[in-house]
Amino acid sequence: MSSTDERAGTRRAIATVCLSGTLEDKLTAAAAAGFAGVEIFENDLLASPWSPKQVREHCVDLGLTVDLYQPFRDFEAVPPAVLAANLRRAEHKFAVMEQLGADTMLVCSTVSPDAVDDDDLAAEQLHTLADRAAAHGLRIAYEALAWGRFVNTYEHSWRIVRRAAHPALGLCLDSFHILSRGSDPAAIRTIPGEKLFFLQLADAPRLEMDVLQWSRHHRLFPGQGAFDLTAFTGHVLAAGYSGPLSLEVFNDVFRQADPGPAAVDAMRSLLALEESLGTTELPVAPALRGHAFTEIATAGPEVSPALAGLGFTHVGQHRTKPVALWQQGAARILVNSAGVEESASVVALAVESADPVASADRAQRLLAPVLPRTHSAGEADLSAVAAPDGTSVFFCRTGPGDSWLDDFAPVSGKAASGKAVSGKPGQVVDGAGLTGVDHVSLTQPFDHFDEAALFYRAVLGLEPEPVTEFAAPFGLVRSRTVTGGEVRIALDSALLRRGDWAPGVREPQHIAFATDDALASARAMRALGAPLLPIPGNYYDDLDARLAPPPDLLDALRAHSILYDRDEHGTLLHFFTEILGGRVFFEVVQRIDGYAGYGAANAPVRMAAHRRHRLAGR
Amino acid sequence: MSSTDERAGTRRAIATVCLSGTLEDKLTAAAAAGFAGVEIFENDLLASPWSPKQVREHCVDLGLTVDLYQPFRDFEAVPPAVLAANLRRAEHKFAVMEQLGADTMLVCSTVSPDAVDDDDLAAEQLHTLADRAAAHGLRIAYEALAWGRFVNTYEHSWRIVRRAAHPALGLCLDSFHILSRGSDPAAIRTIPGEKLFFLQLADAPRLEMDVLQWSRHHRLFPGQGAFDLTAFTGHVLAAGYSGPLSLEVFNDVFRQADPGPAAVDAMRSLLALEESLGTTELPVAPALRGHAFTEIATAGPEVSPALAGLGFTHVGQHRTKPVALWQQGAARILVNSAGVEESASVVALAVESADPVASADRAQRLLAPVLPRTHSAGEADLSAVAAPDGTSVFFCRTGPGDSWLDDFAPVSGKAASGKAVSGKPGQVVDGAGLTGVDHVSLTQPFDHFDEAALFYRAVLGLEPEPVTEFAAPFGLVRSRTVTGGEVRIALDSALLRRGDWAPGVREPQHIAFATDDALASARAMRALGAPLLPIPGNYYDDLDARLAPPPDLLDALRAHSILYDRDEHGTLLHFFTEILGGRVFFEVVQRIDGYAGYGAANAPVRMAAHRRHRLAGR
């Protein structure tokens, strides 16, 4: 393989165990996502109807090399009889590898009760194994499992490999095994690069649990977890490692997800890692400046009156499509009635980019599916890509001479304030005090949650905030927000796929608008007939017991069904509409003194209220 | 409430946190399952549109008492200013409890950074709280959380309660908090019963993880996990506890499952626990003696020829229904073609019971839904109940004078052996060497897995074997077998609900037949044209490397696509048919020297082979 190596750090591989399906499915997905090589996990081969030679041929056809065969377990530091059996086993696998065209075998540090704690014996027996491997033109990469019986740190595995002193014996470094134990990876720099035979990369969330279970079920692709893989990989490259960057991720969700998108997610994670390492150059993510518009598709009757009730004005109508532009302050909502579905969905979000072309170029380089452009002659040519959940993400620069707003013809009418609207789409319109979009919240299919956070981080350059979980009336909800440049996107997901019974509130989406005065906005909206969500009195009794807001404020909150939260910075006042068109609702948010959260503590109360409203509406 | 108490151990309650939905949903489900009381979890009340007084009224209407209000957190061992705020908070909650008609409040041991490690201060402040509670006619049940900052064992909480010495202050004992830490519950017997104010029961699987996460996500109903709740509860009752047995189970799956069946599952767990304690009497589970029949529904063309290929003979035809009886050895399969679905499903399993009426009576007492009987005059009147996945479970006594077999008219024909069949349903028929049913494997919806194991244990008296998990091509699979009296039922479930992509092998079901000679059976079946599943050669190469069976045997296994496994007792030879009618397949099993497992190590190979077969068939 070394003949096909590109410069250090740019050759990319993936272990078949990362992906769902049969070996055939996995190889196809890896190749389609642009990987150059694969680690073949033994169980995938055993279940394949292709002989190892046929697997090699299929890999050649797909443009894949087989970079590693794994795992070979429980080899070293055993009594002679066990050694003989282990060498017999190894010879069988060497024969498979020769047919397969794999030149490196992963040997994991032993967990066997047969083994003894004797580094000299381990080194001696690994030397024997390496000798056998070398006779076949193969080599052995020895890896310290985090739960290895005697050898469970990379420093220890390196001592044994150094002692064995065989040219066909080197190390496999796995970021999970090293970082999960809290080992300092800096000393990797002291290991000669030519003894680093293989590098496996995996991220993971910080979990307090048995490390074997953590490893087998909860690994993530780089950038999706809590490990500093940039620093880790930097140490390995600094040592002179010249092999592939190879992903080895055991994850219960990826294990059952469509392998095509999962392989793309994996490749995106590597590209972003390489960008942070400086080994791959991508167009820099242009600065963002907030939400340009958010588009709701619905053929139903509920959304437009609700927008009017919130103080929005219908200021424009698309010149060629059945799309209405509603505006208030800097908040713009498109209501698209081209479809036949009565139900409502957020189908697109648009961000203001300092350079939409560069944004789209970066997105494409990061494997975001570019959406076909359907503009007519003379209309704005907006670049858009599809997010993992299918939402269209547009890159806009709203302003003179280059504006998608010109696609909308003015609509004359009256603003909520009673003032006549001059009919110029894009102008700031008075209403009920909304100033713009605070955030857009998109419920993710549970098997796209981690992929979505990485997508928005890598493609848009947003920063993921920590993952939170809360117990909602119909199941646990996991939540994570990605933010930056006045753009905030909240990603929610039911941790387990929802049960069949969960009524009404499946996969809701919502748009939260900002106000400087939640009480005034709520009063104005109530006067305009907005379908605001009533909140139970019990909530306010508890709020009094718990946070004791000033009595006047508490009375006002109760009167207007406004929820309240505090964090270490400040205070949040927020309220909601009912669910419109089965799926979409609106929120109004006032952040006081730099409150930074999203009122997650109040979400279960909101969810139960939505459920009640729907039952009442039957 | 004490006025309504029945004798100790027979009053049953459930915490609202065990169930999914709004408070309204939860109360309805708890009452329908027969609970007498509920613990109201504060968050459920806050999100309810009913005032506490209205909740009380609804509970009265439903026949429920409110036995506990919970949780009140972070109260004790704090500086004076914090104490004042905490007492204000408590007074608010006392007001709620008075309206709610709840007389006991749960106070959890503190996890607050404000608290200090001072048992005297904790006792003094809890005394003050109990005084305030007593003024409202209420009482305080103090509970040591397993992760309490200073107080995290029941012995410690009891020392504080004893020191506080207030009649309105007692203990709440929670089996999870005590057993998860490995505490010895025997000393509970030394606590005066009148100081045991409340008992919360939860089971759990043994997991090596952070105890708080274990507690919040993985609790189970009694009998579904690894704790000895019979011994635990026995100690509490021996101490003189006279309050309700109350379930408090935080579980991610139950949290999103339909609350109606979940409440029934909960009640069944309590009834079984009480039976083991001797505080509730149920009809003893009659002895079972194997599988009487298994019924497959299909209007498709694949199942009957496959049975013929396996050496079964069509020996009988139902006199009034389109149901064919196939037999070989003691194995009987009914093929029901009354429906219109081409796809095949296992719709019923029948067990031989020493007393079918008692079996059905016990099932009904354990809340198994009794199925309507649809027999015609003169036909056998079989009792049947529905398992959690909807499978009908029949109780039979197959034999002279009392036989469901009389409902089938003889069919003349030839057995697979070539011998003419005399046409008597029920007689032992030669074929390809099958002697009976080894086990029936039913894939469970992922949210019924734990419920199903408890159902078969409690209702049929079967013994659950330990839960195993394995990585299958399309996602993790969890597996558990329930066995007893020659009945074996394997319950499998995809740990996460399957992704949309998982092709073909969704929720398969299969029937495994026993043979004394797998090789001879395979040869005979191949000659009869059975649709046997080919196994890849790679599997046999690895088998040689791994277990090195004798070369002759290995060749024969390879030639006949027979899989091989070993456990500490003996050896398993087994092979499979293709999937028939989209969902059902058959297995043939030879257990040698008391092999006790099910060949789970080979399941991924089988699953990949099924997937391949389906792709090839497109």
Side-chain angles (χ1 to χ4, degrees):
Chain A
M1 286 169 304
S2 53
S3 63
T4 65
D5 273 355
E6 304 166 38
R7 69 177 171 141
T10 59
R11 185 176 162 71
R12 301 173 195 113
I14 186 167
T16 54
V17 77
C18 300
L19 302 172
S20 182
T22 62
L23 183 59
E24 305 88 291
D25 300 320
K26 293 169 185 220
L27 296 177
T28 302
F35 284 94
V38 290
E39 303 176 26
I40 292 203
F41 204 69
E42 185 164 273
N43 283 349
D44 287 320
L45 180 70
L46 302 193
S48 174
W50 293 337
S51 71
K53 188 159 163 292
Q54 289 173 314
V55 172
R56 176 190 207 153
E57 289 160 6
H58 279 281
C59 284
V60 169
D61 291 348
L62 290 166
L64 293 169
T65 55
V66 181
D67 294 346
L68 190 79
Y69 186 74
Q70 71 132 319
F72 193 79
R73 298 189 191 279
D74 293 337
F75 172 78
E76 77 282 17
V78 290
V82 179
L83 177 66
N86 286 352
L87 287 170
R88 176 186 180 278
R89 182 159 58 97
E91 290 287 354
H92 270 83
K93 299 305 173 186
F94 292 156
V96 169
M97 289 172 64
E98 284 185 278
Q99 286 189 58
L100 207 52
D103 72 354
T104 306
M105 181 164 88
L106 175 70
V107 174
C108 305
S109 63
T110 188
V111 298
S112 168
D114 290 333
V116 296
D117 186 9
D118 182 338
D119 286 0
D120 286 326
L121 186 63
E124 181 189 313
Q125 294 182 349
L126 284 166
H127 188 282
T128 302
L129 182 68
D131 241 17
R132 300 280 191 104
H136 297 268
L138 306 175
R139 53 188 208 162
I140 302 296
Y142 183 57
E143 175 184 70
L145 297 177
W147 55 91
R149 186 159 168 225
F150 305 116
V151 178
N152 43 46
T153 65
Y154 76 91
E155 295 95 332
H156 196 170
S157 58
W158 169 229
R159 284 199 301 276
I160 289 173
V161 164
R162 191 163 43 178
R163 199 166 303 182
H166 194 292
L169 178 68
L171 284 181
C172 175
L173 297 179
D174 179 313
S175 62
F176 182 87
H177 290 299
I178 295 170
L179 300 176
S180 64
R181 293 182 56 99
S183 294
D184 181 356
I188 292 171
R189 291 172 174 258
T190 66
I191 302 173
E194 70 273 14
K195 297 305 274 184
L196 299 179
F197 281 10
F198 211 78
L199 173 63
Q200 294 178 316
L201 295 172
D203 203 342
R206 280 269 161 227
L207 296 173
E208 295 299 322
M209 66 188 302
D210 175 66
V211 68
L212 190 150
Q213 296 300 321
W214 185 18
S215 173
R216 294 262 170 92
H217 300 288
H218 301 285
R219 292 186 179 206
L220 292 169
F221 294 125
Q224 295 179 334
F227 292 163
D228 184 350
L229 288 181
T230 304
F232 175 86
T233 312
H235 293 310
V236 179
L237 296 181
Y241 173 71
S242 60
L245 302 186
S246 188
L247 299 167
E248 195 206 25
V249 169
F250 305 82
N251 179 292
D252 291 350
V253 175
F254 303 160
R255 219 185 251 293
Q256 57 125 62
D258 188 334
V264 168
D265 183 32
M267 176 57 80
R268 187 178 296 133
S269 80
L270 266 188
L271 292 170
L273 175 65
E274 291 173 18
E275 182 186 36
S276 75
L277 286 162
T279 58
T280 286
E281 274 190 38
L282 297 171
V284 173
L288 302 182
R289 285 167 310 164
H291 296 263
F293 66 81
T294 310
E295 181 172 347
I296 298 170
T298 179
E302 295 185 5
V303 171
S304 296
L307 285 169
L310 292 176
F312 279 77
T313 303
H314 179 191
V315 296
Q317 191 67 29
H318 197 277
R319 296 179 194 276
T320 63
K321 297 171 190 163
V323 178
L325 168 63
W326 292 77
Q327 181 154 348
Q328 180 174 185
R332 297 186 199 93
I333 303 294
L334 304 187
V335 179
N336 186 331
S337 53
V340 295
E341 295 283 333
E342 287 239 338
S343 62
S345 312
V346 174
V347 292
L349 58 87
V351 294
E352 293 282 351
S353 166
D355 185 346
V357 173
S359 286
D361 187 20
R362 178 180 174 84
Q364 193 164 3
R365 289 285 303 281
L366 284 160
L367 307 179
V370 175
L371 295 172
R373 300 177 179 200
T374 56
H375 66 286
S376 310
E379 291 179 7
D381 179 17
L382 292 177
S383 302
V385 296
D389 66 354
T391 305
S392 302
V393 177
F394 285 88
F395 303 106
C396 299
R397 199 161 64 182
T398 310
D402 178 23
S403 185
W404 59 274
L405 285 168
D406 295 339
D407 296 349
F408 288 82
V411 172
S412 52
K414 272 203 301 189
S417 62
K419 279 195 284 192
V421 172
S422 68
K424 187 139 181 292
Q427 73 178 29
V428 173
V429 179
D430 284 348
L434 301 186
T435 59
V437 167
D438 184 87
H439 63 278
V440 176
S441 176
L442 300 173
T443 300
Q444 300 295 304
F446 90 121
D447 42 1
H448 289 298
F449 183 77
D450 292 306
E451 182 186 354
L454 176 65
F455 174 91
Y456 287 109
R457 186 177 77 91
V459 172
L460 273 69
L462 301 177
E463 197 58 43
E465 299 183 0
V467 175
T468 58
E469 278 180 18
F470 59 90
F474 306 106
L476 220 61
V477 172
R478 183 173 285 181
S479 184
R480 181 171 215 178
T481 308
V482 288
T483 64
E486 297 162 60
V487 172
R488 290 193 192 93
I489 301 168
L491 307 168
D492 290 335
S493 190
L495 187 58
L496 294 170
R497 191 173 294 207
R498 282 286 164 77
D500 294 331
W501 102 280
V505 285
R506 283 192 200 187
E507 309 198 337
Q509 303 172 317
H510 82 270
I511 303 169
F513 302 111
T515 177
D516 294 328
D517 187 339
L519 280 166
S521 288
R523 273 189 213 102
M525 289 170 184
R526 206 163 292 277
L528 289 167
L532 300 183
L533 183 72
I535 298 297
N538 295 338
Y539 170 82
Y540 297 97
D541 295 341
D542 177 68
L543 183 60
D544 186 15
R546 195 161 44 92
L547 298 177
D552 285 2
L553 176 60
L554 185 66
D555 290 347
L557 297 177
R558 191 191 294 264
H560 292 288
S561 281
I562 299 174
L563 298 141
Y564 181 93
D565 193 30
R566 272 191 214 145
D567 67 7
E568 67 273 33
H569 308 291
T571 304
L572 174 72
L573 305 184
H574 61 147
F575 57 94
F576 299 90
T577 68
E578 294 162 355
I579 289 182
L580 309 162
R583 190 172 182 202
V584 170
F585 62 93
F586 300 110
E587 178 181 7
V588 175
V589 166
Q590 181 185 4
R591 296 175 182 277
I592 301 170
D593 300 333
Y595 175 94
Y598 297 84
N602 296 325
V605 173
R606 185 255 299 159
M607 290 174 175
H610 274 148
R611 147 85 158 152
R612 196 169 67 247
H613 167 67
R614 293 188 65 77
L615 285 183
R618 275 182 194 167
Chain B
M1 283 167 304
S2 53
S3 63
T4 66
D5 275 357
E6 302 166 38
R7 69 176 171 142
T10 58
R11 184 175 161 72
R12 302 174 194 112
I14 186 167
T16 55
V17 77
C18 301
L19 302 172
S20 182
T22 63
L23 183 60
E24 305 89 293
D25 299 319
K26 293 168 186 222
L27 296 177
T28 302
F35 284 95
V38 290
E39 303 177 25
I40 291 202
F41 204 69
E42 184 164 274
N43 282 350
D44 287 320
L45 180 69
L46 301 193
S48 173
W50 294 337
S51 70
K53 188 158 163 293
Q54 288 172 314
V55 172
R56 176 189 206 152
E57 290 160 6
H58 280 279
C59 285
V60 168
D61 290 347
L62 290 165
L64 294 169
T65 55
V66 181
D67 294 344
L68 190 79
Y69 186 74
Q70 70 133 320
F72 193 79
R73 298 190 189 280
D74 292 337
F75 172 78
E76 78 280 18
V78 290
V82 180
L83 177 66
N86 287 351
L87 287 170
R88 175 185 180 278
R89 182 159 59 96
E91 290 286 355
H92 270 84
K93 299 306 172 186
F94 293 155
V96 169
M97 289 172 64
E98 284 185 279
Q99 286 189 60
L100 206 52
D103 72 355
T104 306
M105 179 164 86
L106 175 69
V107 174
C108 305
S109 63
T110 187
V111 298
S112 169
D114 290 335
V116 295
D117 185 9
D118 182 337
D119 286 0
D120 286 326
L121 186 63
E124 179 188 313
Q125 294 182 349
L126 284 166
H127 188 283
T128 303
L129 182 67
D131 242 17
R132 300 282 191 101
H136 297 268
L138 306 177
R139 55 187 206 163
I140 304 295
Y142 182 55
E143 174 183 69
L145 296 178
W147 55 89
R149 188 162 167 222
F150 306 114
V151 178
N152 43 45
T153 64
Y154 77 90
E155 295 94 334
H156 196 170
S157 58
W158 169 230
R159 284 199 300 276
I160 290 173
V161 165
R162 189 162 47 177
R163 199 165 304 181
H166 193 291
L169 179 68
L171 284 182
C172 175
L173 298 179
D174 179 312
S175 62
F176 181 88
H177 290 299
I178 294 170
L179 300 177
S180 65
R181 295 182 54 100
S183 294
D184 180 356
I188 292 171
R189 290 171 177 259
T190 66
I191 303 172
E194 70 273 14
K195 296 305 272 186
L196 299 179
F197 281 11
F198 211 77
L199 172 63
Q200 293 178 316
L201 294 173
D203 203 340
R206 280 268 162 229
L207 295 173
E208 294 299 323
M209 66 189 301
D210 175 68
V211 68
L212 189 149
Q213 296 301 320
W214 184 19
S215 172
R216 294 262 170 93
H217 300 287
H218 301 285
R219 291 185 180 207
L220 292 169
F221 294 125
Q224 295 179 336
F227 292 163
D228 183 350
L229 288 180
T230 304
F232 176 87
T233 311
H235 293 310
V236 178
L237 296 182
Y241 174 72
S242 61
L245 301 186
S246 187
L247 298 167
E248 193 205 27
V249 169
F250 304 83
N251 180 292
D252 291 350
V253 175
F254 303 161
R255 218 184 251 294
Q256 57 125 61
D258 187 336
V264 168
D265 182 31
M267 177 55 82
R268 186 177 296 134
S269 79
L270 266 188
L271 291 169
L273 174 67
E274 291 173 19
E275 182 186 35
S276 74
L277 285 162
T279 57
T280 285
E281 273 187 40
L282 297 171
V284 173
L288 302 182
R289 284 168 309 163
H291 296 264
F293 66 82
T294 309
E295 180 172 349
I296 297 171
T298 179
E302 296 185 4
V303 171
S304 296
L307 286 170
L310 292 176
F312 278 78
T313 302
H314 179 191
V315 296
Q317 191 65 31
H318 197 278
R319 297 179 193 278
T320 63
K321 297 172 191 165
V323 178
L325 168 61
W326 292 77
Q327 182 153 348
Q328 179 175 186
R332 297 187 199 92
I333 303 295
L334 304 186
V335 180
N336 186 330
S337 53
V340 295
E341 294 283 333
E342 287 240 338
S343 63
S345 313
V346 174
V347 294
L349 58 88
V351 294
E352 292 283 350
S353 167
D355 185 346
V357 172
S359 286
D361 187 20
R362 177 179 174 85
Q364 191 166 3
R365 289 284 304 280
L366 284 160
L367 307 179
V370 175
L371 295 172
R373 301 177 181 201
T374 57
H375 65 286
S376 309
E379 290 178 5
D381 180 17
L382 291 177
S383 302
V385 297
D389 66 354
T391 304
S392 302
V393 177
F394 285 88
F395 303 106
C396 299
R397 198 162 62 180
T398 309
D402 178 21
S403 183
W404 57 275
L405 285 168
D406 297 338
D407 295 349
F408 289 82
V411 172
S412 53
K414 271 203 300 190
S417 63
K419 281 195 283 193
V421 173
S422 69
K424 187 139 184 288
Q427 73 179 30
V428 173
V429 179
D430 283 348
L434 301 185
T435 58
V437 168
D438 184 88
H439 63 278
V440 176
S441 176
L442 300 173
T443 300
Q444 300 296 304
F446 91 121
D447 42 359
H448 289 298
F449 183 78
D450 291 306
E451 181 185 353
L454 177 66
F455 174 89
Y456 287 109
R457 185 176 79 90
V459 172
L460 272 69
L462 301 177
E463 197 59 43
E465 299 184 359
V467 174
T468 59
E469 276 180 20
F470 59 90
F474 306 105
L476 221 63
V477 171
R478 183 173 285 181
S479 184
R480 181 170 216 177
T481 308
V482 288
T483 64
E486 297 161 62
V487 171
R488 291 193 191 95
I489 301 168
L491 307 168
D492 290 334
S493 190
L495 185 57
L496 294 169
R497 191 172 293 208
R498 281 285 165 79
D500 294 331
W501 102 279
V505 286
R506 283 191 202 187
E507 310 198 337
Q509 303 173 316
H510 81 270
I511 303 169
F513 302 111
T515 178
D516 293 328
D517 187 341
L519 279 166
S521 288
R523 272 188 215 103
M525 289 170 184
R526 206 164 291 278
L528 290 167
L532 300 184
L533 184 71
I535 298 297
N538 296 336
Y539 170 81
Y540 297 96
D541 296 340
D542 178 67
L543 184 59
D544 186 16
R546 195 161 44 92
L547 297 177
D552 285 3
L553 176 61
L554 184 67
D555 290 346
L557 297 177
R558 191 192 293 264
H560 291 290
S561 282
I562 299 173
L563 297 140
Y564 181 94
D565 193 28
R566 275 193 212 140
D567 67 6
E568 67 273 32
H569 309 291
T571 304
L572 173 73
L573 305 185
H574 61 146
F575 58 94
F576 299 92
T577 68
E578 294 162 357
I579 290 181
L580 308 162
R583 191 172 181 203
V584 170
F585 63 95
F586 299 110
E587 180 181 5
V588 175
V589 166
Q590 180 186 4
R591 296 174 183 275
I592 302 171
D593 299 332
Y595 175 94
Y598 297 85
N602 295 325
V605 173
R606 185 257 298 160
M607 289 174 176
H610 274 147
R611 147 84 159 152
R612 197 168 65 247
H613 167 66
R614 293 187 65 76
L615 285 182
R618 274 186 195 164

